[in-house]
Amino acid sequence: MKRSILRGTPRRAAALLAAALTVTAFCAADAVARSYPFGPRTRAVNDLGNQYVPFHAHLWDLLHGRSDGGLLVNWQSGFGSSFLPDLGTYLSSPFALLVVVFPRDEIDLAVYVITVLKTACAGAAMAWLLLRLRPGRWWAAGLLGAAYALCGWSLADASYNPMWLDGLVALPLLCLVGEWALDGRRRLLGVLVVALAWIANFYTAYMATLGAGLFLLLRLWLSGLPRRRALAAAGRATATVALGVGLAAPLVTVVYFGTKHAYPGRVTHFTPVATQDLLARLLPTTYGFASPALFVGTTALLLALALPFHRAAPVRVRAGWSLLVAAVALSLQWTPTHLAWHAFATPNGSPYRQTFVLCALLVVAAWHTLSYGVPAPRALAAATALLALVAAVASRSGLVHAYAWPVLLLSTAGALTGLLLLRRAEAAEAVEAAGAGGAGGVTVPEAGYGREAEAGDTTGDTTGDTGAVGRPGLAVRVRRAEAVRSGAAATASGGGSGRAAGSSADVDDGREAGDGPGDGRGRGVGEDPAPAEADPAPAGEDPAPAGAGAATAGRGEPRAGRARARRRVGLAGLAVVVLVGAQLGEAAATSAVATRLRLNHLDDYASWGDRQREQAKAVSEADGWPAHRTEPGREQTVGNDPMVVGGQGAQYYSSLTADVLSRTLTALGGGWTSRGRNVQSLDNAVTDAVFSVGARVHSPPDQHQRWNPRDRGPVTVSRQDVPPLVTVRPATAPDARTGVSAFGPSPYRNQELLLGSRVYTVPALTVRTGDGGRPARAPGDRPGTLVEAPRAKAAAHRPTIDAQCPARSEVYLWAPHYSGTARLTDSPAKPLTGRFTSDAAKIAAMQRLGTAPVSGHVRIELAPTRTGTVPDGAVGCLDTARLRTAVRGLKATGAEEVTVSDGTVRARLPAGSTGTAVIAAPRIAGWRCAADGAAAEPARTHFGLIAVPLDGSATSVTCTFHPPGLRLGAAVGGASLLTLVLLGTLTAVRRRRTARHPALHPATRPRERITSAL
């Protein structure tokens, strides 16, 4: 059998095992927690329900040709938002394309499957990396790969932020790119891997790149390469990253500029967590939103803690990996390094998004421990003592619950039992290896050299020592001695790679399939290649004995040998079962606990069901885009209802919500959550006319939310006569302000500015407390009156607002900083109950309460749930007759025909139109417009909307959208691609010249291959 095929088999097996263990634990945890799709509990918490599921639903529509818009503009959300930055933020992962194979009403299942696949691929990539770093048992690499995929960060944080999981996958792949840079190989593939990682999710890819850089620096230090060769390797890695990021630039720059034009939200400052909370997150079944989830499994943690005490590993390896883990752990808690990890901006939400890097380093440290053989009992005892110290300190943390202790004890017992069983299997294996080695002529000096390596001499470091440089065959003798000492033949121990760990055969198997000899490393960077006579046996086969005596001795005791082999295999198999069982159990328990506790700490939303199905049907029947918009309604289910159920509304929630959109809707009386980035629908007749909302869906409150009133009424649709999407307004004075800054404090007057007509009466107010007294004025910069919640739940009297409105006018209440309900007490029609919610992260939207009586006296009864503010000018009385007159005027002068296709809007105007053509869409950055065939110019703004000046000669208007940064990114990407092509061409030419004129090398002493800096 060909060795090139066999070499890759252990890595593939390890990757498949890691993926299988990951999927098993992940799904088992959701089944235990009775979470979707294995139970009735929803998993759509926080941004998963508000953003990721809706964005994947929109991608499904886009891929099936059913969306309103395209790659450039999303016409369904925010009255027209830039979609390419959202695509780069939420949907650019290759896994996202899998939504296309799922039914539309199973979008939640599609996102779940994508999440599981990403997590499994992260485990597979880590398992592959581990066997690339050092030889060892394939099943152990698979187990540790699954430990990385099922780390606390993945289970507690990234499982409901699936875009972050792309960083979990990218980190081991980027470390592999670093390994290829060390070898001077696979440059094109390395560039493509970097580009794919940054395209999939540039945010976590940035963190993964930093982590891979630290990984590479340590590998260079351990290699002991000469300075020139080390700098060349570092240069190759830097060039690879630069070219890869350059290829991703068309998307990355668009996202970057999107953040520059986004609503700023809240500026936060980093505060490190307490030490006991930090250490608590190393333990299973702990959970905390604002602390780093460092859990990697007890087995991996014990092995990582045992590394400093593992005398079989070289001192440089023990010191290097231990210090790197400690340094990265400290960097999580220091503000300057915290900012560096997060691109110099403290994020809103979890402040420890780089935690997966430390989890990866813990797993790599654990692999280095195990690859040198199971630690001795004293080393395991020291690691257990450190774990006990961690648990003792963590016991003071409120993140550790009572159920964590039995899980920790069982997992520790399982890990120690499995490791000790594995060590006994190694000991039995070493006895047989020693017998075979004695028959083959292993000399005492060689064995003594192996003991020197065990005592801490770095000469035996197969991860990159230079002690064997210039001494042909010495490294092979050292590895033979290590094979005698540790006996790490994985096949004989029940699932190894078929060769002793530390042997020259294992060293050879540590290279990628197809690696040639003389790469300057041989898994010992800087060593001379092993001589031909030391070539090992193929993977999966026992090494050939050095002499015939071993075979003769083996035939002398067939029964005893077979019995010892069966006992050895049994011990190793039992160790595997115990270790796998312990890890699966604690990982599933940790994930189940996190799933249950998230529902207590975060807002949650229902999966697709009857409510969304009825809303989607109502929207589809009323849809008339682009003749008019259809609003999914004020009673929202998630923060992005238009993407889920269809329509073209104001509602929009993204990290890239445009500043102009948020400020415009706020000035018009709109509400928002998430500190301005989750803008809500505004159920108002004037704004419906301004934004051409001709149909509006009215749904009962979402019954999934416990705080909503119990109302199971039907879904209805109201229709109204509205102007077209493009209208013509009178010209404004040259020096007049027409931007968002021109809005005043009253939303009623701001709506009139956009409408172009006076339609509201804003009366004086009289606000009284429940006992009839005058409330205090609100302090600070919010002019208004304080309204306090009654001390008794069943207060006889409630606060009231009195005002005088024109008879039969529609009454609106605008109270953005009020929480509670409001209703008219004397209304000729059935009054509406307005529900208002506000706090530090949200403001309430303006709401219609009903119709004023004939007398015009309006009394609004308030039921506050907390102390809030009723602003001056809170009540607006809408004259519907004036509004109808204004609408007729806008229709008469508006566009005769409007067509919309992705990022282009075309309107045919009446002949002789003068003034300003206004498109009912926010004037976000990137719009350019032209009248007739004139040259396109940056669009003007009409109080936050797109505007085009008209001189009376134009009969059409065309506006096109190009996301800011797209041209720059395309230029950088093109330059990177051209550079990559040129380098590839030069490499190909150089290889052809070398093939025609091969250099002569001595037969007995192959030279090291010297590679260029690129």
Side-chain angles (χ1 to χ4, degrees):
M1 188 177 294
K2 293 183 178 180
R3 292 185 57 193
S4 61
I5 298 176
L6 282 172
R7 282 175 183 167
T9 301
R11 294 188 193 136
R12 288 195 293 269
L16 290 174
L17 176 63
L21 294 178
T22 299
V23 172
T24 301
F26 198 101
C27 295
D30 288 333
V32 170
R34 302 186 66 205
S35 175
Y36 179 89
F38 303 103
R41 293 189 175 93
T42 179
R43 70 182 302 268
V45 298
N46 206 14
D47 289 346
L48 179 60
N50 264 330
Q51 292 181 300
Y52 305 121
V53 171
F55 274 111
H56 281 81
H58 185 72
L59 179 64
W60 191 99
D61 292 335
L62 187 65
L63 294 174
H64 286 85
R66 302 184 187 180
S67 65
D68 295 325
L71 291 175
L72 300 180
V73 178
N74 169 18
W75 288 106
Q76 294 183 251
S77 303
F79 290 139
S81 59
S82 179
F83 181 63
L84 199 56
D86 285 332
L87 178 73
T89 302
Y90 301 103
L91 300 171
S92 54
S93 170
F95 293 93
L97 298 175
L98 293 175
V99 297
V100 74
V101 303
F102 288 84
R104 179 62 164 77
D105 57 357
E106 294 290 351
I107 194 64
D108 296 274
L109 180 62
V111 174
Y112 181 82
V113 171
I114 290 171
T115 302
V116 175
L117 285 178
K118 285 185 180 182
T119 311
C121 288
M126 176 56 75
W128 192 282
L129 171 66
L130 295 180
L131 284 175
R132 179 64 170 78
L133 293 177
R134 275 192 56 79
R137 297 173 176 84
W138 67 267
W139 60 263
L143 187 68
L144 290 178
Y148 168 70
L150 297 169
C151 67
W153 180 86
S154 170
L155 299 176
D157 296 333
S159 61
Y160 68 95
N161 292 282
M163 67 176 186
W164 293 355
L165 289 172
D166 291 291
L168 194 73
V169 179
L171 179 56
L173 295 180
L174 292 176
C175 291
L176 277 174
V177 172
E179 292 294 296
W180 298 337
L182 279 174
D183 290 342
R185 303 176 64 251
R186 300 188 176 181
R187 301 171 188 175
L188 175 60
L189 182 59
V191 171
L192 295 179
V193 168
V194 173
L196 185 61
W198 278 73
I199 289 173
N201 184 252
F202 84 99
Y203 186 56
T204 50
Y206 165 79
M207 302 174 188
T209 303
L210 292 182
L214 296 175
F215 173 94
L216 178 60
L217 290 176
L218 178 58
R219 292 284 290 166
L220 286 172
W221 180 73
L222 290 176
S223 71
L225 288 172
R227 179 176 299 179
R228 182 177 177 181
R229 293 184 59 194
L231 290 177
R236 288 191 296 269
T238 303
T240 299
V241 172
L243 289 174
V245 175
L247 290 180
L251 201 60
V252 173
T253 55
V254 167
V255 177
Y256 172 77
F257 282 98
T259 62
K260 294 301 180 181
H261 295 287
Y263 188 77
R266 185 185 67 168
V267 177
T268 58
H269 300 282
F270 174 67
T271 301
V273 298
T275 302
Q276 58 264 30
D277 291 342
L278 179 73
L279 296 179
R281 298 309 304 276
L282 286 165
L283 307 181
T285 68
T286 58
Y287 176 80
F289 177 75
S291 57
L294 296 171
F295 167 78
V296 290
T298 306
T299 301
L301 182 59
L302 279 173
L303 288 172
L305 293 175
L307 180 58
F309 311 102
H310 192 21
R311 292 175 60 84
V315 173
R316 287 166 67 91
V317 172
R318 288 185 273 163
W321 289 106
S322 300
L323 289 176
L324 181 59
V325 168
V328 173
L330 292 175
S331 74
L332 267 63
Q333 296 287 85
W334 190 35
T335 300
T337 49
H338 158 83
L339 292 174
W341 280 114
H342 293 92
F344 302 97
T346 297
N348 290 317
S350 172
Y352 290 98
R353 301 180 182 183
Q354 79 280 35
T355 304
F356 70 100
V357 176
L358 180 55
C359 294
L361 294 178
L362 284 170
V363 169
V364 172
W367 173 250
H368 277 82
T369 302
L370 193 59
S371 66
Y372 284 100
V374 178
R378 280 190 294 181
L380 288 177
T384 306
L386 287 178
L387 179 60
L389 179 62
V390 168
V393 177
S395 64
R396 298 179 296 168
S397 170
L399 305 179
V400 181
H401 300 279
Y403 49 74
W405 301 116
V407 175
L408 176 62
L409 290 176
L410 287 174
S411 59
T412 303
L416 290 175
T417 300
L419 292 174
L420 290 175
L421 286 172
L422 190 59
R423 181 170 177 82
R424 291 191 63 184
E426 282 187 352
E429 194 175 8
V431 172
E432 297 182 11
V442 175
T443 62
V444 173
E446 290 172 349
Y449 192 88
R451 286 192 295 271
E452 290 175 2
E454 182 176 357
D457 190 351
T458 61
T459 308
D461 177 19
T462 62
T463 66
D465 60 278
T466 57
V469 174
R471 301 166 67 181
L474 179 57
V476 176
R477 295 197 300 274
V478 172
R479 286 161 178 76
R480 284 179 177 173
E482 288 180 349
V484 172
R485 181 184 68 255
S486 62
T491 301
S493 63
S497 63
R499 291 186 295 274
S503 70
S504 62
D506 269 330
V507 172
D508 185 88
D509 189 62
R511 293 193 298 267
E512 293 287 344
D515 285 356
D519 63 353
R521 300 178 68 215
R523 305 292 7 107
V525 178
E527 291 184 5
D528 285 336
E533 63 270 19
D535 191 40
E541 302 178 10
D542 290 333
T552 305
R555 289 193 297 269
E557 301 180 38
R559 293 184 179 179
R562 286 196 296 268
R564 285 195 298 268
R566 285 195 298 269
R567 181 172 180 272
R568 185 167 23 90
V569 171
L571 287 173
L574 183 59
V576 173
V577 171
V578 172
L579 291 174
V580 170
Q583 179 162 307
L584 286 181
E586 64 176 333
T590 302
S591 180
V593 168
T595 300
R596 293 293 299 272
L597 292 181
R598 275 198 301 266
L599 292 174
N600 298 332
H601 291 86
L602 303 174
D603 51 318
D604 60 274
Y605 307 90
S607 302
W608 178 280
D610 292 339
R611 175 181 174 86
Q612 293 90 337
R613 192 173 294 109
E614 293 176 7
Q615 289 175 328
K617 181 181 178 181
V619 169
S620 177
E621 292 174 352
D623 194 17
W625 176 257
H628 66 79
R629 285 188 169 102
T630 300
E631 250 281 5
R634 177 78 185 91
E635 289 292 347
Q636 67 182 47
T637 307
V638 298
N640 278 302
D641 274 349
M643 296 191 205
V644 178
V645 300
Q648 309 83 29
Q651 195 186 69
Y652 178 49
Y653 180 26
S654 168
S655 298
L656 304 170
T657 301
D659 180 80
V660 64
L661 171 67
S662 186
R663 294 188 186 278
T664 299
L665 293 181
T666 302
L668 299 178
W672 44 253
T673 63
S674 300
R675 299 176 179 86
R677 293 188 173 180
N678 185 353
V679 293
Q680 300 174 346
S681 173
L682 182 58
D683 190 354
N684 180 276
V686 177
T687 55
D688 282 352
V690 169
F691 289 101
S692 190
V693 178
R696 176 174 289 276
V697 176
H698 302 274
S699 306
D702 184 10
Q703 300 302 289
H704 178 80
Q705 306 300 346
R706 296 182 300 273
W707 55 81
N708 281 339
R710 301 300 93 183
D711 183 356
R712 300 186 180 275
V715 174
T716 60
V717 178
S718 63
R719 300 174 184 270
Q720 49 273 352
D721 191 24
V722 295
L725 193 68
V726 180
T727 56
V728 177
R729 313 299 179 88
T732 58
D735 58 345
R737 293 189 306 155
T738 58
V740 177
S741 60
F743 284 129
S746 171
Y748 304 110
R749 300 307 178 209
N750 295 336
Q751 290 181 15
E752 292 172 342
L753 279 176
L754 275 176
L755 182 67
S757 301
R758 180 60 63 93
V759 293
Y760 279 110
T761 298
V762 183
L765 307 180
T766 301
V767 183
R768 297 191 180 275
T769 61
D771 55 9
R774 291 281 186 139
R777 296 288 295 175
D781 57 352
R782 296 176 184 170
T785 304
L786 283 179
V787 177
E788 297 181 353
R791 293 182 175 86
K793 291 186 178 180
H797 302 284
R798 294 178 176 177
T800 58
I801 301 174
D802 288 279
Q804 190 69 31
C805 287
R808 305 295 185 182
S809 60
E810 288 191 353
V811 179
Y812 287 85
L813 177 64
W814 170 66
H817 302 289
Y818 167 75
S819 290
T821 60
R823 59 185 295 271
L824 291 177
T825 58
D826 299 315
S827 176
K830 181 180 179 181
L832 303 174
T833 299
R835 291 180 288 112
F836 298 77
T837 303
S838 69
D839 56 29
K842 60 177 69 79
I843 64 173
M846 176 191 298
Q847 303 215 26
R848 187 170 70 91
L849 300 183
T851 305
V854 176
S855 64
H857 181 262
V858 173
R859 171 163 289 182
I860 302 173
E861 185 179 78
L862 305 177
T865 56
R866 62 164 66 99
T867 299
T869 303
V870 175
D872 299 335
V875 175
C877 310
L878 175 62
D879 189 325
T880 55
R882 290 184 180 178
L883 176 60
R884 287 192 295 270
T885 302
V887 168
R888 284 195 296 269
L890 291 174
K891 290 182 66 178
T893 60
E896 297 173 349
E897 182 184 5
V898 178
T899 59
V900 179
S901 60
D902 195 2
T904 302
V905 178
R906 292 184 176 90
R908 183 163 53 87
L909 305 176
S913 297
T914 59
T916 303
V918 177
I919 301 177
R923 202 303 191 191
I924 57 178
W927 280 107
R928 297 177 64 86
C929 298
D932 277 348
E937 298 179 353
R940 309 264 182 105
T941 178
H942 181 76
F943 303 106
L945 305 186
I946 302 170
V948 185
L950 302 173
D951 59 4
S953 62
T955 58
S956 67
V957 168
T958 301
C959 291
T960 56
F961 180 77
H962 295 280
L966 182 59
R967 289 184 176 88
L968 174 62
V972 174
S976 299
L977 181 60
L978 179 61
T979 304
L980 192 62
V981 170
L982 290 176
L983 290 176
T985 303
L986 290 175
T987 302
V989 171
R990 185 184 307 167
R991 286 177 178 173
R992 293 187 64 181
R993 290 179 178 177
T994 304
R996 291 178 180 177
H997 307 285
L1000 298 177
H1001 298 286
T1004 58
R1005 182 74 181 277
R1007 293 184 180 182
E1008 297 175 347
R1009 186 179 62 184
I1010 305 300
T1011 57
S1012 68
L1014 292 177

